[in-house]
Amino acid sequence: MLIRFVGILLFLSTFPVFAHPVIYKDGIVVSSSNMQSYSDNQLMYSWSNRWSTGLNHWRFTKEDKNTELGFLKLNHLLYRHNGESSQGNIYLHGGVGIADSEIEKRQTNDAYMTGFEVDWETRTLFTAFKYYYFTSPKVTDISMAQARVGFSPYEAGFEQLQSWFMLQAMIMPEVESEVILTPMLRFFYKNVLWEIGSSTKGEWMLNLMVHH
Amino acid sequence: MKKILILALILTSSATFAKDISVKVSGMVCSMCAQGIQKKFSKLPEVKDIKVDLDTKVVSIITKDNQDIQDSKIKELITEAGYNVASIERK
């Protein structure tokens, strides 16, 4: 119940996505990624340009039954390459919290997560990969891998709308037996980013993210 | 006496000029991520205006009259925003 409340709170306070776990010092990121099979809502505060801490809620849905996890999460920018016309990043993640699952029988227990994320982008090309592992003794073990490639047909200016075409491949063996492929559109304008897509299985994706 | 007066006038007038500082920044490829640069510098009382150009990778900082920002402060804020300073030029 508490997890669901935190999740709803994060979603309402919202907005959502892929990457940006650590931003500029004293920056706040609110993000929400939503598909039928999972959702990921985050509220993170970057207390340096290398570290951020915040709340993270996940939902995984298998055969209409939910597993929800709520974490106090720590993100670390392990490495950043600032090139002349490109940027690459490696992030590490860890979190402790609680899990609640409806699958098989209703169970709640402490939960832990770990993961990493790498990305590389120019003004018109984007590639990223992330992996997460969630575990809660006697409740659940879930792993998730996401890969993305994308391109933008033009180089937008600092205060112009930037548009991207992207393809996401996602594997969650404990939730969905097949690879979920999702073509999507990404837009961002100033400090707001939004994405909309539909998987090859017809699952809608709606992501939002705001930097503050 | 006349020379001193002229010199004083020159010094006084030049001291009231605003500075135009051009900072070349590495890694600035995402306009959303670079918003942090604008946010950081806009908070400084010395800053009158700031422009970010993703094409040239240059952040232009216009100071208020008779104000300046130390290079060390510029580097500190760019680093806090997640980027690297390649060069700083003043006009």
Side-chain angles (χ1 to χ4, degrees), chain A residues 21-23 48-52 75-81 87-93 117 119, chain B residues 82:
Chain A
V22 182
I23 60 170
S48 80
N49 64 348
R50 291 276 170 177
W51 294 90
S52 71
N75 305 299
H76 177 48
L77 172 61
L78 181 68
Y79 174 76
R80 168 165 287 171
H81 169 70
Q87 188 183 79
N89 301 291
I90 301 173
Y91 298 96
L92 300 177
H93 310 286
E117 194 167 323
D119 65 56

Side-chain angles (χ1 to χ4, degrees), chain A residues 20 24-25 49 80 82-87 121-123 156-159 188 190-193 209 211-212, chain B residues 25-36 38-40 52-55 57 79-84:
Chain A
H20 307 184
Y24 49 86
K25 185 174 182 261
N49 64 348
R80 168 165 287 171
N82 280 319
E84 194 175 327
S85 303
S86 66
Q87 188 183 79
E121 63 184 303
T122 68
R123 291 178 71 191
F158 182 64
E159 294 191 329
F188 51 79
K190 292 190 174 179
N191 64 330
V192 182
L193 180 154
M209 176 160 66
H211 290 185
H212 181 70
Chain B
V25 178
S26 303
M28 205 166 60
V29 294
C30 159
S31 63
M32 185 178 184
C33 307
Q35 298 289 328
Q38 191 177 48
K39 190 175 176 182
K40 290 268 171 202
V52 178
D53 189 331
L54 294 179
D55 293 327
K57 311 286 186 289
T79 303
E80 283 184 0
Y83 299 96
N84 298 123

Side-chain angles (χ1 to χ4, degrees), chain A residues 40-54:
Chain A
D40 167 18
N41 297 295
Q42 305 202 25
L43 176 62
M44 294 294 155
Y45 170 70
S46 294
W47 39 277
S48 80
N49 64 348
R50 291 276 170 177
W51 294 90
S52 71
T53 311

Side-chain angles (χ1 to χ4, degrees), chain A residues 15-16 21 24 70 84 103 107 125 131 142 151 184 200 211:
Chain A
F15 310 87
Y24 49 86
E84 194 175 327
I103 296 171
Q107 294 181 100
L125 294 172
Y131 173 81
I142 296 173
F151 76 95
M184 72 184 78
T200 49
H211 290 185

Side-chain angles (χ1 to χ4, degrees), chain A residues 148-205:
Chain A
R148 276 195 187 193
V149 291
F151 76 95
S152 176
Y154 61 96
E155 292 185 343
F158 182 64
E159 294 191 329
Q160 291 177 322
L161 177 73
Q162 177 91 51
S163 311
W164 292 82
F165 295 97
M166 289 197 170
L167 179 66
Q168 175 177 287
M170 181 169 63
I171 305 169
M172 297 184 291
E174 296 82 6
V175 179
E176 177 66 55
S177 57
E178 297 172 24
V179 175
I180 302 171
L181 285 174
T182 311
M184 72 184 78
L185 294 172
R186 165 186 277 196
F187 304 96
F188 51 79
Y189 178 68
K190 292 190 174 179
N191 64 330
V192 182
L193 180 154
W194 63 102
E195 297 173 335
I196 186 163
S198 177
S199 77
T200 49
K201 294 177 68 182
E203 253 190 273
W204 280 95
M205 166 186 271

